[in-house]
Amino acid sequence: MTTEVPSRTRIPVHPDAAEFLGRDHQLFINGEWTTPRDGGMSVSLDPGSGEQIATFAVGGKQDAHRAVAAAVAAFEPDAPWRVMSAASRARLLFALADLMEEHQEELAHIEALDSGKPLAVARDFDVAYAIRHVRYFAGWTNKIEGATIPVDVPDMMCRTERTPVGVAALIVPWNYPILIACWKLAPALAAGCTTVLKPAEQTSLSVLRLAELISDAGFPPGVVNILPGSGSELGPVLVEHPEVEKISFTGSTRVGEEIARRAATGIKRVTLELGGKSANIIFADANLDHAIEGAAAAIFSNTGQMCSAGSRLYVERPILDTVLARLKEHTKTIVVGHQLDEDTQMGPLISKSQMTTVCNYLDRAASDGARTVVGGNPHTDHDGIFLEPTVLTDVNDDDAIVREEVFGPVLVVLPFDELDEVARRANDSEYGLAAGIWTRDIAKANRLSNLLRVGSVYINTYGQSDAAAPFGGFKKSGYGRDMGRQNLEYFLETRTVWTDLRL
Ligand code: NAD
């Protein structure tokens, strides 16, 4: 069965975004727009209509080497970036944030069209938070301090310095293209590193526009290099390159494992932000108005294509039927449509192959005995890749739909009876990214929070994010943290300097 999407008012594409999309885009290497040596051209599709929206260059292996060489040259001790004061680095980052703000609407249109997220979300979350990240880390730039160490050695001064780790390869996924790019670029630049950033194949456009703004802000050539292209082709070159010191990766656990293996050979510094299958837990004493809305937002925002999606909903048994009924009612009100339609709340999936993956999970869940509470059908509308927000129940802890990351708008609902039991079941996952707890009893919430082996716990809320708050996973959700002061540390090395004061 399919559902017709009614026609709605489409917001016209911002003229600056339209002008940007109409141009060809080359690789951004050493501060210049350059044609690929051994890459080619690719096209970007609007997942809400299937239409081609832009063409852009993709790099090949030689281009990856060129990009790293530019970053290496920009990191030479006498290069402009290295002799620049920390305060000047901060000024460049603040200038970039101001330019992003000036072009926020344009960036949001590019991001929405390329990734499928509703325009308001692209503007007020993705781009707005990207700007906040750049400002937050700009503020850190001239606050990176060493220490004087009180060593037990006579006449000896010992101090530490914090120095940039070197050339950093930043590899990002398609679900939050400009935001995750800034999660990584901002601390890398604040620390004084030089960078090669590889966007995901599906969503290179907002980052290419960001490169233009980086150039306008006045960053020296080679400090930021943007290299769209294939992960399987360019990723290994970047990860194994002897002059790349640090890799910051966000993406799937499968690719994360591969990167960790490759990086081990070169003793590279690595941070990995990977997949998740997060538990969201509603107790019978919760404020159900908030909990229902929170549980739906936790899985249906960004069409469920979130690493931290609250995709397993555990409900205390006495309120199971009430929660299912209210979730059904709420889910039916979610407006699915093209990302530039005025009232769209949930946009398309990123690609046909993602749709196939999600639909295969739905088929498998059905054959495992799952019951569909609401949704589950594709929409037939102007070739867009739409799926109704879906809630399933009557599933078992061992079913694939409960254990594996679906990365789509699919929620499974399971009953529980005891706090210890739900903690054990929530932790019974190879992932450990996030969890939600809904209860009016804060002592109980904190008891459960202590038992959960996850990187973020949300109590009576879900999915909060702030540039100052670290985010990352336990277990196969990765290691290291994006955001917060902690992420700055991953782009710095400590040098310990001893001086004999008698000479
Ligand atoms: P992906 O792993 O397929 O791709 C991510 C990036 O890695 C892309 O730029 C891709 O081109 C590149 N890549 C692919 N193969 C590579 C290789 N062999 N070496 C180096 N790079 C390679 O993931 P995706 O499908 O783009 O994104 C979805 C995944 O990302 C989900 O699993 C999701 O949970 C995860 N994710 C995690 C977080 C987090 O913060 N933990 C945030 C967003 C997404």
Side-chain angles (χ1 to χ4, degrees):
M1 190 187 112
T2 56
T3 312
E4 289 295 330
V5 177
S7 61
R8 302 201 188 93
T9 313
R10 180 78 45 94
I11 298 163
V13 178
H14 188 282
D16 294 345
E19 188 273 328
F20 172 82
L21 295 173
R23 288 189 257 134
D24 270 353
H25 304 287
Q26 303 301 328
L27 310 175
F28 186 63
I29 297 179
N30 205 25
E32 289 174 353
W33 295 96
T34 159
T35 50
R37 290 254 172 88
D38 59 341
M41 293 302 284
S42 185
V43 297
S44 214
L45 302 178
D46 166 0
S49 69
E51 287 163 17
Q52 180 178 319
I53 52 170
T55 57
F56 61 96
V58 288
K61 290 192 170 88
Q62 287 181 33
D63 299 307
H65 282 282
R66 285 164 69 207
V68 174
V72 169
F75 197 73
E76 288 296 328
D78 56 352
W81 180 243
R82 296 299 302 288
V83 297
M84 187 181 283
S85 71
S88 299
R89 282 207 312 278
R91 276 193 286 275
L92 286 177
L93 281 162
F94 279 122
L96 173 61
D98 290 347
L99 282 170
M100 291 170 72
E101 200 162 59
E102 213 175 289
H103 295 275
Q104 185 165 352
E105 193 68 30
E106 175 196 348
L107 286 167
H109 276 249
I110 295 168
E111 192 73 315
L113 270 173
D114 204 18
S115 71
K117 58 186 77 210
L119 178 62
V121 175
R123 179 183 55 235
D124 302 333
F125 182 71
D126 293 69
V127 181
Y129 275 66
I131 296 166
R132 288 190 199 184
H133 273 85
V134 175
R135 292 214 170 102
Y136 172 80
F137 283 104
W140 271 116
T141 303
N142 57 358
K143 295 163 195 74
I144 299 167
E145 297 169 340
T148 311
I149 311 295
V151 288
D152 191 13
V153 186
D155 299 316
M156 206 59 79
M157 186 175 79
C158 181
R159 64 186 165 83
T160 58
E161 299 168 350
R162 306 287 283 141
T163 70
V165 71
V167 174
L170 315 174
I171 303 176
V172 299
W174 45 259
N175 59 345
Y176 291 94
I178 197 169
L179 180 58
I180 295 182
C182 289
W183 283 4
K184 299 182 186 306
L185 269 177
L189 298 175
C193 292
T194 59
T195 60
V196 178
L197 185 134
K198 200 205 80 62
E201 291 85 332
Q202 302 87 338
T203 54
S204 296
L205 300 180
S206 59
V207 171
L208 288 168
R209 183 68 184 105
L210 183 70
E212 295 180 346
L213 300 180
I214 285 169
S215 188
D216 293 348
F219 282 83
V223 171
V224 178
N225 302 279
I226 306 282
L227 186 71
S230 148
S232 54
E233 188 181 350
L234 303 180
V237 178
L238 296 176
V239 173
E240 290 178 347
H241 197 294
E243 291 184 278
V244 170
E245 303 274 358
K246 154 84 189 166
I247 297 119
S248 179
F249 172 77
T250 296
S252 61
T253 294
R254 181 188 64 75
V255 173
E257 283 176 1
E258 184 187 327
I259 287 177
R261 269 196 301 274
R262 288 183 192 278
T265 306
I267 321 289
K268 305 293 173 74
R269 284 94 185 113
V270 184
T271 45
L272 300 173
E273 303 290 348
L274 309 175
K277 188 75 188 178
S278 298
N280 206 359
I281 300 162
I282 306 182
F283 285 93
D285 64 353
N287 176 328
L288 276 194
D289 292 342
H290 289 161
I292 299 292
E293 206 175 302
I299 183 66
F300 299 136
S301 303
N302 220 42
T303 318
Q305 301 165 129
M306 292 176 290
C307 49
S308 57
S311 47
R312 292 184 284 156
L313 185 66
Y314 293 92
V315 179
E316 204 167 4
R317 198 176 300 274
I319 58 162
L320 178 66
D321 290 343
T322 310
V323 166
L324 284 173
R326 291 192 57 181
L327 253 180
K328 179 175 179 176
E329 197 185 323
H330 180 92
T331 302
K332 280 180 159 174
T333 69
I334 294 172
V335 180
V336 180
H338 189 274
Q339 59 274 27
L340 293 196
D341 286 352
E342 241 165 23
D343 46 2
T344 288
Q345 294 169 320
M346 197 179 96
L349 288 156
I350 187 71
S351 62
K352 288 189 173 148
S353 74
Q354 189 64 19
M355 181 75 149
T356 304
T357 305
V358 176
C359 289
N360 286 344
Y361 272 113
L362 290 179
D363 290 346
R364 177 144 176 218
S367 67
D368 285 341
R371 173 166 65 89
T372 303
V373 177
V374 62
N377 301 302
H379 283 247
T380 54
D381 183 45
H382 39 240
D383 290 333
I385 309 158
F386 298 103
L387 182 68
E388 288 175 345
T390 302
V391 179
L392 305 177
T393 194
D394 295 347
V395 292
N396 300 303
D397 286 3
D398 291 335
D399 293 349
I401 197 81
V402 179
R403 304 201 72 79
E404 296 177 20
E405 185 179 47
V406 174
F407 229 56
V410 180
L411 179 67
V412 292
V413 183
L414 306 102
F416 75 91
D417 296 296
E418 303 285 342
L419 184 148
D420 288 340
E421 169 219 331
V422 78
R424 182 181 47 72
R425 291 169 66 199
N427 285 334
D428 180 21
S429 168
E430 61 180 356
Y431 297 114
L433 195 55
I437 302 172
W438 301 85
T439 170
R440 287 191 168 89
D441 181 345
I442 292 301
K444 181 164 71 180
N446 281 308
R447 212 161 60 242
L448 178 54
S449 172
N450 285 340
L451 296 175
L452 293 173
R453 302 212 53 236
V454 297
S456 294
V457 177
Y458 305 106
I459 299 174
N460 292 325
T461 182
Y462 199 92
Q464 295 294 331
S465 174
D466 189 277
F471 176 77
F474 287 22
K475 302 194 271 181
K476 283 196 176 177
S477 291
Y479 45 74
R481 293 291 178 269
D482 273 331
M483 298 192 259
R485 182 181 179 171
Q486 202 174 332
N487 198 14
L488 195 61
E489 302 296 327
Y490 299 118
F491 291 97
L492 294 166
E493 289 284 18
T494 298
R495 181 190 291 124
T496 307
V497 182
W498 295 79
T499 307
D500 188 333
L501 297 173
R502 291 168 302 183
L503 297 179

